Amino acid sequence: VTSCLVQTVMTQSIISCAPEDSVVTTLAIMNKNNIRHLPVVVNGEPLTMLSIREFDIACQHLEALSYTDELTELPNRRYFMGALDREMARQQRTGTVLSVAILDLDHFKHINDTFGHDVGDQVLRHLGEILKGRLRGYDVAGRIGGEEFGLLFPDTELADAVTVCTSLRDQIRDCKVATSAGPINFTASFGVAELDEQYPDPATALIEADRLLYVAKRKGRDRVASSLDASLAPLQPSYVDVCTQTVKRKVTQQ
């Protein structure tokens, strides 16, 4: 019996995973070969054993971290752009409505310059809490730039998205953030667009929302701008060209 066991062990192939192997590859190897535990070796020395369940949970946690903005704990730009892409594909497939907004804090540089970047970070974290507390479970709010946030409203017409953004604007305006420098008031501007067939990809969708955000800034900040506002003056072509190139460059970098 002993000789049979030795022969079985000695004739089996050694299955190993390298650090450069992807998580999907490693899990596929473990499942295919019915491997339930994975030894962890550091500098040639065995450190611990991971079950396939523990390994899967750890990988899911790392994946979630890769899509999360560390400061605000909101989805980051990478996740937001992916969600926008998926919702636009669903909209084109099912004919549902979809609205998107860009939110930008007003005079945020002044807050950083006056009170320091630590206080600026406290303001951004507070804004993240407001967004997480006020949006519906299937809406998406993500930090897509320094003080710039994207808002995605599936199955939502423009007028309803404007109503939500107006409520957010009012709450932001009325709040006082308790910071290490004392209470601070701040405001935000919004550009809101309803997406249709003229926006074939996330880049062009954000261009329109960013165009409207620029209008809100130009008209005095602390406001919501959308195509529902008939008084919006058309922007100069030069700005649209610059905006287009900037947004497409940001998307390409992702």
Side-chain angles (χ1 to χ4, degrees):
V1 176
T2 303
S3 60
C4 291
L5 289 174
V6 171
Q7 183 180 11
T8 300
V9 172
M10 295 298 292
T11 56
Q12 283 184 337
S13 301
I14 296 176
I15 302 169
S16 63
C17 300
E20 61 269 19
D21 289 338
S22 69
V23 171
V24 174
T25 298
T26 302
L27 286 173
I29 291 173
M30 294 177 72
N31 281 314
K32 180 180 179 181
N33 296 278
N34 197 30
I35 299 172
R36 311 316 300 169
H37 292 82
L38 184 72
V40 179
V41 179
V42 178
N43 297 326
E45 296 293 331
L47 181 64
T48 186
M49 294 285 290
L50 283 179
S51 70
I52 189 172
R53 180 174 178 276
E54 291 171 328
F55 182 61
D56 189 35
I57 291 173
C59 292
Q60 290 179 25
H61 179 64
L62 289 174
E63 183 179 19
L65 289 177
S66 72
Y67 287 114
T68 303
D69 174 61
E70 183 177 1
L71 178 64
T72 63
E73 298 183 349
L74 290 172
N76 59 17
R77 183 182 182 87
R78 180 184 179 190
Y79 182 91
F80 182 83
M81 295 304 296
L84 178 56
D85 194 30
R86 290 189 296 273
E87 286 299 332
M88 290 183 72
R90 186 174 75 90
Q91 176 204 32
Q92 294 166 5
R93 185 176 65 252
T94 63
T96 55
V97 293
L98 175 64
S99 295
V100 64
I102 294 181
L103 174 167
D104 188 83
L105 292 184
D106 299 325
H107 302 298
F108 185 68
K109 184 178 184 301
H110 176 72
I111 293 176
N112 280 334
D113 291 345
T114 303
F115 303 104
H117 289 275
D118 287 345
V119 172
D121 287 349
Q122 294 169 44
V123 170
L124 291 174
R125 278 194 291 268
H126 186 78
L127 176 59
E129 291 298 325
I130 290 176
L131 295 178
K132 284 184 285 188
R134 290 300 299 266
L135 298 181
R136 300 167 299 185
Y138 52 86
D139 295 331
V140 179
R143 187 183 180 195
I144 59 177
E147 66 270 22
E148 194 171 71
F149 295 77
L151 307 175
L152 186 58
F153 302 105
D155 302 316
T156 305
E157 295 182 349
L158 180 59
D160 293 328
V162 169
T163 298
V164 174
C165 290
T166 301
S167 177
L168 283 170
R169 180 208 59 187
D170 293 344
Q171 182 175 356
I172 292 169
R173 176 201 290 160
D174 294 340
C175 78
K176 282 190 176 182
V177 185
T179 73
S180 55
I184 292 178
N185 291 94
F186 64 98
T187 62
S189 300
F190 296 74
V192 193
E194 183 178 324
L195 307 186
D196 53 33
E197 62 277 358
Q198 66 177 309
Y199 306 111
D201 54 62
T204 53
L206 286 187
I207 287 168
E208 177 61 10
D210 199 59
R211 182 187 77 83
L212 292 162
L213 172 64
Y214 176 80
V215 172
K217 294 284 190 179
R218 189 181 64 184
K219 292 175 72 68
R221 296 181 173 83
D222 188 24
R223 65 188 62 232
V224 178
S226 77
S227 55
L228 292 176
D229 186 351
S231 66
L232 294 185
L235 296 175
Q236 296 299 318
S238 59
Y239 171 77
V240 177
D241 292 339
V242 171
C243 178
T244 300
Q245 294 303 318
T246 300
V247 173
K248 286 188 174 180
R249 184 170 63 251
K250 289 181 180 179
V251 173
T252 301
Q253 290 171 351
Q254 303 303 311

